[in-house]
Amino acid sequence: MIYLENPDLYLKTILEQEGVPVTNDKESAAVFVFLKGNQLVFSSAPNPNAKLKSRSCPVRFITVNNVPHFYNLQLVDINCQCDIPANANLGQSDRGLPFVYYDGGEIMVIPCTPFLTLRHRGYQAKKFYVQQGRCPDETVARVDRGGVRRLIAASLRMFLNQKNLPYIHLSYAPAGCRSIFGFRVDTDYAPLKIIEKCLTIPESFGMSWTWFIMTSEVTVNEAPIFTKLLSDQDVQLHCHYHVVYPDIKRNIANYYNGLKKMMLMNLKPSGVAAPYGEWHRAIATAFAKLGFSYSSEFCYAYDDLPSRPVIEGTYNPVLQVPVHPISLGRLIAAGMNEDAMIEYYKNIIDLQVARNEPCFLYDHPQTIIRFPRVIKEIVEYGIRQCGRWISMTQFAEWWAKREKSKYQCRVSEQNLEIEVTESNPELELVIELNEFIARVPYVSGKYSLTALNWTPVEKKSCPADIAKIRHETPAWKLKNHLRRFRQQLRDLRMLGGDLE
Ligand SMILES: [Zn+2]
C-alpha cells in the first residue's frame, strides 16, 4: 500500500493511471511518497532524512539500460530542470550522467516531480525510432506522459520488490487480456466510395474500427448511406470543418455543426478526435462543454494509458485516450517501403504488448486503400499479439469503470489479502515481483504468493542508438522553429477573425 504525504493532481494522475492501491492509514503503508521541492521521494519511513546533496541541471531525456526492474522504458523525454542527487546511480541522462538515486533499501529519489514534467501543454515535432533509414516524425506533445509514468512506476516497483514486496496495480487492459488492440480512422476528406473500400478490412477480421467522421464532407443524401455502411462499426466525430480554432467559441460552433450532421445519421457520438491531433485548453474546454466522454489527441498524449488532463487546477471531464501518433503518411514521408512499414508497426505492437499496455494505431482512408497489405498484416498481427481487439469507445467506457474501482491490499508472510469495494469481472489485478508477473481476479480474497501462476516479464531491449531520435541537427531545429512559427501565425490570424 502507498501513502501519499503531499500529493498534487499530477502525481495522482500517474498513480490512478497505474491503478495502485493508496491508503490513508500510515500503519498499513509499505511506501511513503513525498514531493520534496523538485524531487519525488519514495521512503520506507514517514519522515525520511532525505537531505541529499543535489545539483540543478537541465535534462532533455533519459535512457535506462541494464537496470533490473527498469525494463521497456526505452527513451523518456524529461525536458525540465532537475535536482539530481550527487550520488545518483540509476539511468542515464542525455549528458551521460546517472539520474535516479536509490540507496538499495530505504530511500529512492527521482530528480523531478510529475508537476514539473507533466504540466507542459506545448507540442513539438519528435522523431520515432527505426533501426535503419530515416526516422519518421510527427508533431506530438512535448511532454512524454507515458514515459514519465513508466519511469515512476518502474522506480516504485524496484523500491517495493527490493523489499520482497510485490508491485500491485489494476491491469491496463480488460480482464483476460494481456494487452488489447484497436484501430482508429480519421475520415478527413475521404469520399464515401473510399470509406466503403476500407471497410472490407475490418469486416474481414470481424472487427470494429473507430471511425472519426469529418462531417462537412458528408452530404445530406449520403447521411443514411453512411449510417448503414458503418452500422457494425464504432462511429464518432472527427470535426465538421477540418480546423482547430484557438478560441473556445468557434470550436464549439464547429463541433456543434458536426453533432447536428451526425444526428442526421442517427448517431450520437460520445468520442471525438481533433484534426492534426491538436490539443489545447480551448479545444479541450469546448469538448467538455459539448459533453463528450472521451477524446484522442496526440498533442496531449501518445503511447500512454488514458487520463484526464489537468486544466486550471482541476481534472477535465473528457477522458484522453491516446494512440500511437505515426500514421502511414509519416512513414511514406520517411521514405519507407511496405516491408519497412510493417516492421515499424510490429515493433510498436511488440513494445506495447511487452509493457502489457493497450495498442491503438490510427490512419486515414486514402492511405489505407493505398497500402491494404500493410494494414491487413498489422491488424492481423495486432489482434494476435495483443490477444483481442476493442473499439476506442468500448475501451474508454471500460476505463471509466476502472477509474471508479477502489481496493486495498495487504501482504504479510507471503500471503496477499485483497479487499475490493465492489467486485468487477471486467477488471484484474496484476502482481509484479522480481521480474515475474501474475494476475488475480478483482474480487476480495486471500492468496498465497507462492501459489500464484507466475510468468516471467517480457523485456524488449532498448536499441543502443535510441538517442539518435533526439539528436537535433541545425536543419531539424530550423524545421521545428518554422513549424511553431506557422502555428502561431495561424492562431493569430484566426484570433483576428481573418479565416477563409
Ligand atoms: Zn484529420
Side-chain angles (χ1 to χ4, degrees), residues 211-224:
W211 301 74
F212 289 94
I213 308 286
M214 173 171 163
T215 52
S216 64
E217 293 298 296
V218 182
T219 64
V220 174
N221 291 340
E222 279 173 347

Side-chain angles (χ1 to χ4, degrees), residues 222-239:
E222 279 173 347
I225 309 171
F226 253 94
T227 315
K228 197 160 173 241
L229 201 63
L230 297 170
S231 58
D232 291 331
Q233 301 290 305
D234 177 26
V235 187
Q236 306 297 333
L237 180 57
H238 186 29
C239 53

Side-chain angles (χ1 to χ4, degrees), residues 182-345:
F183 200 84
R184 158 185 152 188
V185 183
D186 294 359
T187 63
D188 287 16
Y189 298 90
L192 197 58
K193 269 191 178 158
I194 287 187
I195 292 176
E196 203 172 350
K197 251 184 163 177
C198 288
L199 251 178
T200 58
I201 301 179
E203 281 172 355
S204 70
F205 291 102
M207 178 184 183
S208 280
W209 284 358
T210 301
W211 301 74
F212 289 94
I213 308 286
M214 173 171 163
T215 52
S216 64
E217 293 298 296
V218 182
T219 64
V220 174
N221 291 340
E222 279 173 347
I225 309 171
F226 253 94
T227 315
K228 197 160 173 241
L229 201 63
L230 297 170
S231 58
D232 291 331
Q233 301 290 305
D234 177 26
V235 187
Q236 306 297 333
L237 180 57
H238 186 29
C239 53
H240 186 61
Y241 294 119
H242 202 267
V243 61
V244 176
Y245 298 95
D247 58 286
I248 300 170
K249 208 172 143 192
R250 277 182 291 177
N251 284 318
I252 288 185
N254 191 27
Y255 279 88
Y256 182 69
N257 285 332
L259 286 168
K260 271 202 314 201
K261 186 62 85 59
M262 289 198 89
M263 270 172 72
L264 286 178
M265 299 160 76
N266 261 333
L267 295 166
K268 196 176 179 301
S270 60
V272 67
Y276 316 110
E278 209 170 314
W279 187 92
H280 46 59
R281 193 185 64 85
I283 191 83
T285 308
F287 290 161
K289 283 187 186 291
L290 289 167
F292 288 106
S293 305
Y294 78 94
S295 79
S296 180
E297 288 82 30
F298 43 77
C299 287
Y300 176 77
Y302 54 90
D303 296 335
D304 192 11
L305 301 174
S307 66
R308 298 192 188 262
V310 177
I311 297 179
E312 288 166 2
T314 174
Y315 289 124
N316 191 291
V318 185
L319 183 73
Q320 263 291 330
V321 183
V323 295
H324 179 69
I326 297 294
S327 64
L328 278 173
R330 306 313 303 158
L331 300 186
I332 298 166
M336 282 190 197
N337 63 26
E338 291 200 357
D339 289 340
M341 291 171 174
I342 292 168
E343 196 191 328
Y344 176 82
Y345 286 120

Side-chain angles (χ1 to χ4, degrees), residues 67-71 161 432-437 455-457 459:
V67 179
H69 307 281
F70 280 66
Y71 36 85
N161 283 187
E432 296 187 50
L433 184 59
N434 299 325
E435 306 198 358
F436 279 83
I437 193 164
T455 52
V457 296
K459 298 182 193 175

Side-chain angles (χ1 to χ4, degrees), residues 412-431:
S412 61
E413 314 264 323
Q414 294 297 304
N415 281 320
L416 167 65
E417 208 176 319
I418 296 164
E419 202 185 315
V420 305
T421 313
E422 198 180 333
S423 56
N424 184 338
E426 291 180 76
L427 298 177
E428 241 172 14
L429 286 172
V430 175
I431 326 288

